[in-house]
Amino acid sequence: MSSVNPEPSAIGKQSRNGSATSPNRRLRDTLILLGLFTLVLAGLIGLAAATGWEETKHQLMKLSWVQFSALLGLSLVNYLFRGLRWHIFARKLGLPTGLMQDLRHFLGGFAMSVTPGRVGELVRMRWLKRETGWAFERTAPLVLIDRASDLTAMALILGLALAFSTTGIAGGLPVTILALIAAFAATRPRLLAWMATMGHRITGRFARLWAKVRRAAHSLSAFTSPTLIAIAALVGVIGWIAEGYAFHLLLMWMGADIGFAKAVAIFVFSTLAGGLTGAPGGVGGAEAAMVALLSLEGVPLEVSLPATAIIRVTTLWFAIGIGLAIFPIAERKSLR
């Protein structure tokens, strides 16, 4: 890939002059984080109170610290495998970054997982711009291919899990197909370029923005290798299967063994369904889907509620915790 000087952009200027507004943004993101956590916690507590505190407490006490640590360990497997995939994509794009640098960017971005539309995760692009000089439109394909690979891996897992489970999930097949279509569209340079052109023609505005989208779309051609796509899919499947297996173990430990395939299907479907709601991090939607699907499998509320709360703490909120710990380090290193 040719080396060109990154052109100035509105986003670039914003990142250079954003020191004055960053505390306000951090305060806003922190308030969003606390608000979402409070709302979900209040909902789960309300349901727990309705089903009986003693039963819920009894189920929670079944889980030892060793078992809880095992759940965190499996989530960490997911994060590290996906971080490795991020590194593979970064190298393929031609970014002059190392493995530990890419892991720092990837994991640090988790701190912004619950921003609306997860746009806060674009902070990774800001770090890359500071450290490599690459403009946002040059690193945008990295974000697109990473998100597309997640959709592909989760769609494959959900499809296979549904195929091997004794009972299906209402809406499982449509969600699988939609995820695959979205992943396909996000990795087709010509399709995205055409969509950008049509967007410009329809709106008649934001010419520079649509031009940047077209340039980012053309950069996706670096990721069209079948071998690369297969490796990325495999790495993503291993990562997400680890968290699905954690959910299966948790249900078994709580005395509600519904089978590995069905547990994985419910976990992945709920995660995708939560994302479709548009809520930051899928908060609220994922929990509701998980409790509902477990109930359909005959799992009582006194088990499904604590199981849902624990798996979300050890997956989504654990990731956010890691991100919050790494974020200031990544921010400080990017400013050197």
Side-chain angles (χ1 to χ4, degrees):
M1 180 176 291
S2 62
S3 177
V4 296
N5 292 327
E7 62 183 48
S9 64
I11 303 178
K13 292 175 184 176
Q14 195 175 39
S15 67
R16 288 192 296 270
N17 302 323
S19 58
T21 57
S22 58
N24 291 331
R25 288 200 300 269
R26 288 173 190 166
L27 176 61
R28 179 200 63 195
D29 294 337
T30 301
L31 291 175
I32 291 174
L33 179 69
L34 292 175
L36 287 170
F37 184 78
T38 302
L39 285 173
V40 173
L41 186 62
L44 291 174
I45 288 175
L47 287 172
T51 56
W53 280 110
E54 288 302 319
E55 288 293 334
T56 302
K57 180 181 177 182
H58 175 70
Q59 293 298 329
L60 287 172
M61 294 301 292
K62 284 185 178 180
L63 194 67
S64 69
W65 282 108
V66 173
Q67 292 170 327
F68 189 80
S69 299
L71 298 179
L72 295 178
L74 287 168
S75 290
L76 192 59
V77 168
N78 180 27
Y79 311 150
L80 291 178
F81 266 83
R82 288 164 59 202
L84 173 62
R85 185 187 61 197
W86 177 273
H87 173 66
I88 293 172
F89 287 148
R91 300 303 296 169
K92 187 65 177 178
L93 189 61
L95 278 163
T97 51
L99 175 60
M100 297 309 295
Q101 187 179 7
D102 287 329
L103 283 176
R104 182 174 71 243
H105 294 162
F106 182 77
L107 296 176
F110 283 157
M112 313 297 284
S113 294
V114 293
T115 50
R118 299 181 71 172
V119 294
E121 289 188 350
L122 297 180
V123 69
R124 295 167 180 153
M125 296 167 64
R126 186 179 72 190
W127 291 332
L128 284 170
K129 179 174 174 59
R130 289 174 177 171
E131 295 174 30
T132 67
W134 281 42
F136 284 79
E137 56 265 30
R138 293 185 67 192
T139 55
L142 182 58
V143 178
L144 284 172
I145 193 66
D146 180 69
R147 191 57 53 83
S149 295
D150 267 341
L151 286 172
T152 300
M154 296 176 79
L156 290 173
I157 293 171
L158 180 57
L160 288 171
L162 289 174
F164 284 99
S165 61
T166 54
T167 57
I169 293 177
L173 183 59
V175 168
T176 301
I177 295 173
L178 282 173
L180 287 173
I181 291 175
F184 176 81
T187 54
R188 298 299 95 187
R190 291 183 179 179
L191 178 59
L192 281 179
W194 176 81
M195 291 171 65
T197 300
M198 294 304 297
H200 183 210
R201 289 178 181 175
I202 293 171
T203 62
R205 302 173 61 188
F206 313 114
R208 290 186 63 189
L209 173 62
W210 293 119
K212 289 178 182 179
V213 172
R214 279 194 294 270
R215 284 196 291 271
H218 291 312
S219 299
L220 281 171
S221 58
F223 305 114
T224 55
S225 166
T227 301
L228 177 66
I229 292 173
I231 292 174
L234 177 61
V235 172
V237 165
I238 293 173
W240 285 107
I241 278 287
E243 286 194 344
Y245 180 61
F247 189 50
H248 168 61
L249 287 178
L250 176 62
L251 290 173
M252 285 201 309
W253 292 336
M254 289 189 163
D257 186 3
I258 59 176
F260 172 69
K262 179 49 66 74
V264 171
I266 290 176
F267 174 78
V268 173
F269 178 87
S270 300
T271 303
L272 286 171
L276 289 174
T277 65
V283 174
E287 290 83 0
M290 200 170 288
V291 171
L293 290 172
L294 286 173
S295 297
L296 289 175
E297 291 299 313
V299 179
L301 279 176
E302 59 264 24
V303 175
S304 64
L305 287 175
T308 297
I310 290 170
I311 200 62
R312 291 293 277 172
V313 166
T314 58
T315 54
L316 172 66
W317 297 102
F318 180 45
I320 293 172
I322 290 176
L324 289 173
I326 296 177
F327 187 94
I329 300 173
E331 186 75 7
R332 185 171 62 252
K333 286 184 175 292
S334 72
L335 291 170
R336 287 182 178 177

